[in-house]
Structures are given as structure tokens and as C-alpha cells.
Amino acid sequence: MMIAALTSFCFAFIAIKLFKPIAVDVGLVDKPNARKHHDGQIPLIGGISIFAAVLAASLIWLPNTLELRMYLIASAMMVFIGALDDKYDLKVRIRIVGQIIIASLMIYGVGGYISNLGNLFGFGNIELGPLGIVFTYFAIIVVINAYNMVDGIDGLIGSLSLNTFTAIAILFLISGNSGYLSYPLMLATATLPYLVFNLGFFKKYTNKIFMGDAGSMFIGLSVIWLLSMGTQGENASFRPVTALWICAVPLMDMLAIVMRRYLKGKSPFKPDRDHLHHILQRAGLSSRQTLIVITVFSVLMSLLGVLGEYFQVPESIELLVFVAIFILYNKYARHFSWKYNE
């Protein structure tokens, strides 16, 4: 599994170098505007490079299973739709239709869906039955768009996804389910070269790139796929409630901002500068300080989730604490959002 992860890391570097001039030639670049404050036109190839690296490493080292084939096909479709969105700024409903088609491929192609939510209220496992298919569609669309919406400053989507994939890998490891361990490790190591370029490490040798919608939606798809594999079935590696903790920041940010937009009478899909990173920056933090604060919060939430899983804290308590943290998060995020918009 480590050689697959190392292969993914190396291919990601190669892919970035190969795709950067192509992106410039075809116009797959991010241009500054009223919401995007950066210098010059930045290639949107981070996610495409991560996918290409994972694809190459998977084809070389992993067993050719139906599950892997469906994941790679669905991911390729997601990256394609995301790249079109990066290039042509697709309408929301077109993106949602594409995500529903991809969700159908994952649900019916593999024949699995989220059917068990665990013992969330202390009265036994919540079995969804056929409603699990509807819930799985909802979960896939929510997680894809949560990771897509949180991408707003340098290093954020890369750091959050790296945290999530690492936490999932740890959960697979402590459960003894090494069969799935290669997947999050490959995704995590493929993300590292993107962070090097995106954050401007070794500036003499690297030029900035962005993740792009192709990347953020691919990451969201990969996260929900891994969570579904990890939490469902007789040999589940961890409990469903743990999934909330290891992708807490994207989920909380998305839910909180959708609620704030609704209260302001705005469309939940209309972009604005009201995300957590925007609020922290308006409060006086620099972009790098904001990145550190949000990443540390994300790591702490994942750590609590992993520890809760390891020590088998009752699921009802984990859910109650998570909801309490979200209520506090939403309260103070909304307060500071209004305060610094005055």
C-alpha cells in the first residue's frame, strides 16, 4: 500500500508539470474578479492532477475490482463536469444533474448504499431500508458541494482534504481493515504536491495552481465514497457518526452559510464572501493565519472523532456533542458575519 501511495505522490508532481502549460493554452485558468482577489491567471489543474495520479497508481498497484472501476469511472465523470464548470461556469442545476447521474453510477453500479445510520439515539441501529437510496443521493450531493464551497483561500481545500483522508486512513488502520487503506493514502499523498504549488513552497521552482471545481468536487466524491465503504456493511470499519467529525468543517461551513443565506432571503447557491475564511479575514487575520486556524480546528474535530471511535464513546453522545459544537459555531459565525458586514 505504501508503494501505491508513493506512486501517487510522484505522479501528482509529474501531472502538475504536464498539465500547467496545457491549462494556460486552453484557457483553464482562474481570473481575478470581485470575489477572487489574486494576481494573474492561475491554472485550475490541482484536482485534475490529483485524479490523474490516483488513477495511475490504482491501475498499476490495486486489484481490478468492480468497486474500483466504478469509483474511477465516476471520478473521471466528476472531474470532467468540474473542468467544464471551471471553463464555462455551468449553471447550478446542470452541476446537480451531473452529480445525480454520478451518484446513480456509484449506487447502482456497485449495488451499495447507505442503509444504516448507527445507534444515534440510543434505541438501536437506524435501518433506512429502501429510503437509504434517497439518503445516499442526498449525502453524495451534500458532501460534494460542501468540499466545493469551502475552497476559498490558498491551501484550505488541500489542508482539509488531507486531514480527512488521513483520518479515514487511521480509522481503517485501527479497525484492522487494511484492504481499503490504500485508497485514502493515495488520495492524501497525491494532495501533497498540490499544496506545495498552491501555497508557494520553493517559489523558485513552483508556480501557483488552484484546485478548481474539478478538484474540489472530485475530493468530495472521494470522501463520501470512502465514508460509505467505511461505515456500511457487516465488516464496517467505523460508525456512521464518526463520519461527521472527520469532515466537520466543510459540513458545518456549508450548513451554516446556507442557513444565513436563507435568513437573508438569498439563494443558498449564490456565491458570496460570507464563508468562515472570509469572516476570519475580515476580523483581521491574514490568509495564512486563517488557514492555520481553520486547519487546526478541522484536525481537532477529526481527532475527537477518531478517539470517540477508538474508545467506543456512545454514538448518541457523539452526535449530541457534535450538534452542540455546530450550534455554537453557527451562532458565533453568524454574529461575526453580521458584525463585520456592518
Side-chain angles (χ1 to χ4, degrees):
M1 66 186 70
M2 292 310 299
I3 193 170
L6 180 60
T7 301
S8 183
F9 176 83
C10 295
F11 269 102
F13 261 115
I14 295 170
I16 289 172
K17 288 294 188 180
L18 287 176
F19 293 152
K20 280 179 68 178
I22 297 174
V24 173
D25 289 342
V26 302
L28 190 61
V29 294
D30 199 27
K31 301 174 183 178
N33 58 31
R35 291 190 303 108
K36 302 175 181 180
H37 302 158
H38 57 77
D39 298 325
Q41 300 183 5
I42 311 298
L44 294 163
I45 53 140
I48 297 174
S49 301
I50 294 172
F51 167 70
V54 172
L55 173 65
S58 298
L59 294 177
I60 294 172
W61 298 113
L62 298 189
N64 182 20
T65 63
L66 173 63
E67 196 170 54
L68 176 62
R69 291 197 300 271
M70 288 297 101
Y71 166 67
L72 293 176
I73 292 171
S75 296
M77 292 172 62
M78 190 80 271
V79 170
F80 177 70
I81 292 173
L84 289 178
D85 190 32
D86 287 328
K87 173 71 175 175
Y88 299 109
D89 193 19
L90 301 178
K91 294 181 179 179
V92 172
R93 61 175 172 269
I94 295 177
R95 297 203 304 269
I96 296 297
V97 168
Q99 291 168 10
I100 290 173
I101 293 172
I102 292 167
S104 299
L105 180 64
M106 295 189 70
I107 293 170
Y108 296 106
V110 181
Y113 56 90
I114 301 171
S115 59
N116 177 18
L117 297 182
N119 186 12
L120 292 179
F121 303 109
F123 302 111
N125 286 343
I126 301 174
E127 299 289 347
L128 296 177
L131 289 177
I133 295 176
V134 177
F135 181 84
T136 305
Y137 275 110
F138 175 76
I140 291 173
I141 292 172
V142 166
V143 174
I144 288 173
N145 287 286
Y147 278 85
N148 179 237
M149 291 173 69
V150 82
D151 184 17
I153 59 173
D154 289 347
L156 186 55
I157 182 67
S159 298
L160 294 181
S161 59
L162 182 62
N163 168 65
T164 298
F165 293 137
T166 302
I168 293 174
I170 292 171
L171 288 166
F172 282 141
L173 185 63
I174 63 179
S175 72
N177 192 352
S178 59
Y180 288 146
L181 188 55
S182 294
Y183 298 117
L185 287 179
M186 287 192 306
L187 285 157
T189 54
T191 304
L192 290 172
Y194 162 74
L195 281 171
V196 170
F197 281 82
N198 181 243
L199 289 173
F201 296 137
F202 314 114
K203 289 185 178 180
K204 182 178 179 181
Y205 306 101
T206 62
N207 294 317
K208 186 182 290 295
I209 62 172
F210 284 163
M211 183 69 75
D213 288 339
S216 57
M217 290 196 288
F218 163 63
I219 284 172
L221 179 70
S222 299
V223 169
I224 188 61
W225 178 67
L226 287 169
L227 294 178
S228 298
M229 287 199 309
T231 61
Q232 301 301 302
E234 295 181 358
N235 299 316
S237 301
F238 49 96
R239 299 168 301 175
V241 71
T242 305
L244 294 174
W245 290 87
I246 61 179
C247 49
V249 170
L251 291 178
M252 286 184 174
D253 187 58
M254 178 186 185
L255 182 56
I257 201 166
V258 166
M259 291 171 62
R260 289 199 296 274
R261 288 173 183 174
Y262 176 78
L263 290 174
K264 293 178 181 179
K266 297 180 179 179
S267 166
F269 299 105
K270 185 176 181 179
D272 56 27
R273 295 185 61 81
D274 217 16
H275 287 276
L276 177 60
H277 54 272
H278 294 134
I279 296 170
L280 292 176
Q281 286 179 302
R282 288 199 298 270
L285 273 62
S286 68
S287 178
R288 194 58 56 94
Q289 289 170 333
T290 297
L291 172 63
I292 293 171
V293 168
I294 297 177
T295 301
V296 168
F297 177 51
S298 178
V299 170
L300 288 175
M301 292 293 285
S302 292
L303 180 60
L304 288 173
V306 171
L307 290 175
E309 184 67 32
Y310 182 78
F311 291 106
Q312 291 293 290
V313 175
E315 294 162 82
S316 56
I317 293 178
E318 286 207 64
L319 177 63
L320 182 63
V321 174
F322 183 88
V323 171
I325 292 174
F326 171 71
I327 291 172
L328 290 173
Y329 170 93
N330 185 48
K331 175 183 177 180
Y332 286 103
R334 183 169 58 183
H335 169 76
F336 287 111
S337 172
W338 289 341
K339 177 179 178 181
Y340 291 110
N341 272 326
E342 289 177 355

